[in-house]
PDB file of all heavy atoms in Angstrom:
ATOM      1  N   GLN A 363    -165.066  58.133 -15.450  1.00  0.00           N
ATOM      2  CA  GLN A 363    -164.910  56.787 -14.917  1.00  0.00           C
ATOM      3  C   GLN A 363    -163.700  56.136 -15.567  1.00  0.00           C
ATOM      4  O   GLN A 363    -163.770  55.678 -16.718  1.00  0.00           O
ATOM      5  CB  GLN A 363    -166.149  55.935 -15.140  1.00  0.00           C
ATOM      6  CG  GLN A 363    -166.061  54.571 -14.486  1.00  0.00           C
ATOM      7  CD  GLN A 363    -167.380  53.835 -14.451  1.00  0.00           C
ATOM      8  OE1 GLN A 363    -168.236  54.028 -15.327  1.00  0.00           O
ATOM      9  NE2 GLN A 363    -167.574  53.016 -13.444  1.00  0.00           N
ATOM     10  N   PRO A 364    -162.588  56.070 -14.849  1.00  0.00           N
ATOM     11  CA  PRO A 364    -161.411  55.377 -15.382  1.00  0.00           C
ATOM     12  C   PRO A 364    -161.690  53.880 -15.497  1.00  0.00           C
ATOM     13  O   PRO A 364    -162.576  53.351 -14.791  1.00  0.00           O
ATOM     14  CB  PRO A 364    -160.327  55.655 -14.341  1.00  0.00           C
ATOM     15  CG  PRO A 364    -160.825  56.852 -13.573  1.00  0.00           C
ATOM     16  CD  PRO A 364    -162.301  56.715 -13.573  1.00  0.00           C
ATOM     17  N   PRO A 365    -160.946  53.177 -16.327  1.00  0.00           N
ATOM     18  CA  PRO A 365    -161.184  51.742 -16.488  1.00  0.00           C
ATOM     19  C   PRO A 365    -161.032  51.003 -15.171  1.00  0.00           C
ATOM     20  O   PRO A 365    -160.039  51.180 -14.456  1.00  0.00           O
ATOM     21  CB  PRO A 365    -160.123  51.310 -17.513  1.00  0.00           C
ATOM     22  CG  PRO A 365    -159.236  52.472 -17.715  1.00  0.00           C
ATOM     23  CD  PRO A 365    -159.901  53.679 -17.231  1.00  0.00           C
ATOM     24  N   GLY A 366    -162.035  50.212 -14.829  1.00  0.00           N
ATOM     25  CA  GLY A 366    -162.005  49.406 -13.625  1.00  0.00           C
ATOM     26  C   GLY A 366    -162.226  50.158 -12.330  1.00  0.00           C
ATOM     27  O   GLY A 366    -162.070  49.593 -11.241  1.00  0.00           O
ATOM     28  N   LYS A 367    -162.582  51.445 -12.441  1.00  0.00           N
ATOM     29  CA  LYS A 367    -162.786  52.259 -11.243  1.00  0.00           C
ATOM     30  C   LYS A 367    -164.196  52.859 -11.219  1.00  0.00           C
ATOM     31  O   LYS A 367    -164.958  52.733 -12.176  1.00  0.00           O
ATOM     32  CB  LYS A 367    -161.735  53.366 -11.184  1.00  0.00           C
ATOM     33  CG  LYS A 367    -160.309  52.846 -11.064  1.00  0.00           C
ATOM     34  CD  LYS A 367    -159.320  53.985 -10.920  1.00  0.00           C
ATOM     35  CE  LYS A 367    -157.901  53.465 -10.774  1.00  0.00           C
ATOM     36  NZ  LYS A 367    -156.914  54.580 -10.602  1.00  0.00           N
ATOM     37  N   GLY A 368    -164.510  53.534 -10.142  1.00  0.00           N
ATOM     38  CA  GLY A 368    -165.825  54.128  -9.992  1.00  0.00           C
ATOM     39  C   GLY A 368    -165.916  55.508 -10.596  1.00  0.00           C
ATOM     40  O   GLY A 368    -164.952  56.036 -11.155  1.00  0.00           O
ATOM     41  N   LEU A 369    -167.097  56.086 -10.481  1.00  0.00           N
ATOM     42  CA  LEU A 369    -167.334  57.425 -11.008  1.00  0.00           C
ATOM     43  C   LEU A 369    -166.635  58.473 -10.137  1.00  0.00           C
ATOM     44  O   LEU A 369    -166.609  58.362  -8.912  1.00  0.00           O
ATOM     45  CB  LEU A 369    -168.833  57.711 -11.049  1.00  0.00           C
ATOM     46  CG  LEU A 369    -169.655  56.852 -12.009  1.00  0.00           C
ATOM     47  CD1 LEU A 369    -171.143  57.056 -11.769  1.00  0.00           C
ATOM     48  CD2 LEU A 369    -169.296  57.165 -13.456  1.00  0.00           C
ATOM     49  N   GLU A 370    -166.093  59.483 -10.799  1.00  0.00           N
ATOM     50  CA  GLU A 370    -165.388  60.564 -10.113  1.00  0.00           C
ATOM     51  C   GLU A 370    -165.921  61.905 -10.606  1.00  0.00           C
ATOM     52  O   GLU A 370    -165.875  62.185 -11.810  1.00  0.00           O
ATOM     53  CB  GLU A 370    -163.880  60.473 -10.365  1.00  0.00           C
ATOM     54  CG  GLU A 370    -163.090  61.608  -9.737  1.00  0.00           C
ATOM     55  CD  GLU A 370    -161.613  61.571 -10.095  1.00  0.00           C
ATOM     56  OE1 GLU A 370    -161.254  60.978 -11.128  1.00  0.00           O
ATOM     57  OE2 GLU A 370    -160.810  62.153  -9.328  1.00  0.00           O
ATOM     58  N   LEU A 371    -166.397  62.721  -9.681  1.00  0.00           N
ATOM     59  CA  LEU A 371    -166.838  64.066 -10.048  1.00  0.00           C
ATOM     60  C   LEU A 371    -165.605  64.932 -10.323  1.00  0.00           C
ATOM     61  O   LEU A 371    -164.714  65.035  -9.485  1.00  0.00           O
ATOM     62  CB  LEU A 371    -167.677  64.681  -8.931  1.00  0.00           C
ATOM     63  CG  LEU A 371    -168.099  66.145  -9.124  1.00  0.00           C
ATOM     64  CD1 LEU A 371    -169.024  66.294 -10.332  1.00  0.00           C
ATOM     65  CD2 LEU A 371    -168.760  66.671  -7.852  1.00  0.00           C
ATOM     66  N   ILE A 372    -165.588  65.573 -11.469  1.00  0.00           N
ATOM     67  CA  ILE A 372    -164.493  66.467 -11.835  1.00  0.00           C
ATOM     68  C   ILE A 372    -164.812  67.888 -11.406  1.00  0.00           C
ATOM     69  O   ILE A 372    -163.992  68.590 -10.821  1.00  0.00           O
ATOM     70  CB  ILE A 372    -164.249  66.442 -13.353  1.00  0.00           C
ATOM     71  CG1 ILE A 372    -163.918  65.014 -13.813  1.00  0.00           C
ATOM     72  CG2 ILE A 372    -163.144  67.410 -13.742  1.00  0.00           C
ATOM     73  CD1 ILE A 372    -163.919  64.842 -15.315  1.00  0.00           C
ATOM     74  N   GLY A 373    -166.034  68.318 -11.689  1.00  0.00           N
ATOM     75  CA  GLY A 373    -166.453  69.665 -11.328  1.00  0.00           C
ATOM     76  C   GLY A 373    -167.820  69.960 -11.901  1.00  0.00           C
ATOM     77  O   GLY A 373    -168.426  69.130 -12.579  1.00  0.00           O
ATOM     78  N   ALA A 374    -168.293  71.178 -11.620  1.00  0.00           N
ATOM     79  CA  ALA A 374    -169.633  71.548 -12.056  1.00  0.00           C
ATOM     80  C   ALA A 374    -169.736  73.049 -12.249  1.00  0.00           C
ATOM     81  O   ALA A 374    -168.961  73.827 -11.685  1.00  0.00           O
ATOM     82  CB  ALA A 374    -170.666  71.079 -11.041  1.00  0.00           C
TER      83      ALA A 374
END
Side-chain angles (χ1 to χ4, degrees):
Q363 185 168 29
K367 297 184 179 181
L369 295 170
E370 177 185 23
L371 174 64
I372 301 169

